[in-house]
Amino acid sequence: RVHGDSHFESRLKMVLLRNLLCVALLSACLSSVHAIPRDVSKVLKGESISQAQGIRIHRTLGTKDHMFFDPFLVVDEFRMLSNRGFEGHPQRGYSTWTYVVEGFLRHQDNFGNEAVVGNGGIQIMTAPQTINRTETAVKSTRAVQIWIKLPKVSKEEQPQFWAINATEISEAVTERQDVWIKVISGTAMGVTAPKRGAADLLFLDVVMGPGTTFNQSIASKHNGIVYILEGRGKFGSSQTTSHIGDALLFTEGDELTVTCEPLDVVESGASLRFLLIAAEPIGEPMLRENFFVLNTQDELDQAIAEWKELSKEGVASASTHTDEL
């Protein structure tokens, strides 16, 4: 009888274990089928930032209206005339992703990096230490620059720089060729970009034809932003309408749905183009002063002192072209 009871208990445990595994698998399948949709939490219209002649900046994130969306610090769209640019300036505590929409942009810094990137290319600069850099338009240029905070653990590393031409960036297209994506970082439509500059960052340039719908998976806890380059579309579960120059912030969720309105609603031939970026929040204390983003006051004071020394060394300055936009 003892032997029989033991055998029965063993079989019962096996049955219970198998049932638990089935429940777990079913739960995982249901989670993948029923993705949590994201919705727009805020629309940032932005403001114009005063600069020198020949330079215009439209800033959506990083203003008094909305200073920070962890880990994103700034979203700027800038337009420069040929040979105009940002003269030697510091950078510390974050990475910059500068995507060239039109034109050609030159980067130079005191670590010896120099490169020109044209239409559809991107410059990535990580600055855990203080850097002195310039950015100059080789010809009239339109670009979007995004600042992404670095975690404290990486702030003892050396700066890094990547200049990635458009031909080096993978593309994905739907079968009907009505949605086209450049996968700058992360994964979209089965295409994965090499990791550069930031772990688990999603960065897409998306173009949609009239009347199309696009769904993109995003890690549920990652913060997501869309910046509108062209056209008009509807975003998120509430289908919030966007316009050129808007930045949209999103709630948590697993998937973002975007719709480009049909031709009978928008202007003839209109399409929608936007940048989608998403990354995991860092959740660390932050002190910011101009171009410096650190965790403590001592670190901030040290960074400013280092910049005073670096600025004496100098780095090649932008030309003083005087044409106006």
Side-chain angles (χ1 to χ4, degrees), residues 95-110:
S95 61
T96 55
W97 293 62
T98 309
Y99 186 61
V100 180
V101 181
E102 300 170 7
F104 292 86
L105 187 68
R106 173 181 286 115
H107 164 100
Q108 295 171 278
D109 64 51
N110 62 310

Side-chain angles (χ1 to χ4, degrees), residues 24-36 254:
L25 287 170
L26 179 61
S27 176
C29 290
L30 288 173
S31 296
S32 63
V33 172
H34 300 288
I36 300 172
D254 303 311

Side-chain angles (χ1 to χ4, degrees), residues 210-231:
T212 57
T213 297
F214 168 65
N215 296 300
Q216 173 63 37
S217 296
I218 302 174
S220 60
K221 298 297 183 182
H222 288 200
N223 280 335
I225 304 177
V226 157
Y227 184 77
I228 311 300
L229 293 173
E230 298 173 9

Side-chain angles (χ1 to χ4, degrees), residues 123-139:
Q123 296 174 351
I124 306 169
M125 185 84 193
T126 65
Q129 305 297 317
T130 304
I131 291 173
N132 187 354
R133 71 184 296 195
T134 67
E135 298 156 283
T136 312
V138 177
K139 60 182 295 186

Side-chain angles (χ1 to χ4, degrees), residues 57-215:
I57 301 177
H58 176 67
R59 176 166 294 175
T60 44
L61 182 65
T63 68
K64 291 180 181 179
D65 181 48
H66 208 104
M67 284 296 296
F68 183 51
F69 191 49
D70 194 7
F72 304 109
L73 296 154
V74 167
V75 176
D76 280 347
E77 178 179 347
F78 59 80
R79 296 172 186 259
M80 299 177 182
L81 288 178
S82 180
N83 295 323
R84 294 298 300 172
F86 306 119
E87 298 186 356
H89 60 280
Q91 177 180 323
R92 180 164 178 172
Y94 52 96
S95 61
T96 55
W97 293 62
T98 309
Y99 186 61
V100 180
V101 181
E102 300 170 7
F104 292 86
L105 187 68
R106 173 181 286 115
H107 164 100
Q108 295 171 278
D109 64 51
N110 62 310
F111 281 81
N113 298 306
E114 181 173 358
V116 176
V117 165
N119 301 8
I122 191 165
Q123 296 174 351
I124 306 169
M125 185 84 193
T126 65
Q129 305 297 317
T130 304
I131 291 173
N132 187 354
R133 71 184 296 195
T134 67
E135 298 156 283
T136 312
V138 177
K139 60 182 295 186
S140 292
T141 295
R142 178 190 182 195
V144 175
Q145 186 171 90
I146 298 158
W147 299 10
I148 304 174
K149 186 179 183 295
L150 293 173
K152 184 178 178 63
V153 68
S154 71
K155 290 181 180 177
E156 298 303 318
E157 299 174 1
Q158 288 298 306
Q160 292 182 288
F161 175 75
W162 294 265
I164 305 165
N165 294 313
T167 55
E168 302 174 75
I169 298 175
S170 300
E171 299 179 2
V173 184
T174 57
E175 290 184 7
R176 296 177 59 183
Q177 297 189 344
D178 50 10
V179 178
W180 170 86
I181 304 173
K182 293 189 70 174
V183 186
I184 300 160
S185 182
T187 299
M189 288 170 49
V191 175
T192 300
K195 287 189 177 181
R196 308 178 181 100
D200 300 324
L201 175 72
L202 178 69
F203 193 135
L204 309 177
D205 178 1
V206 182
V207 178
M208 300 174 61
T212 57
T213 297
F214 168 65
N215 296 300

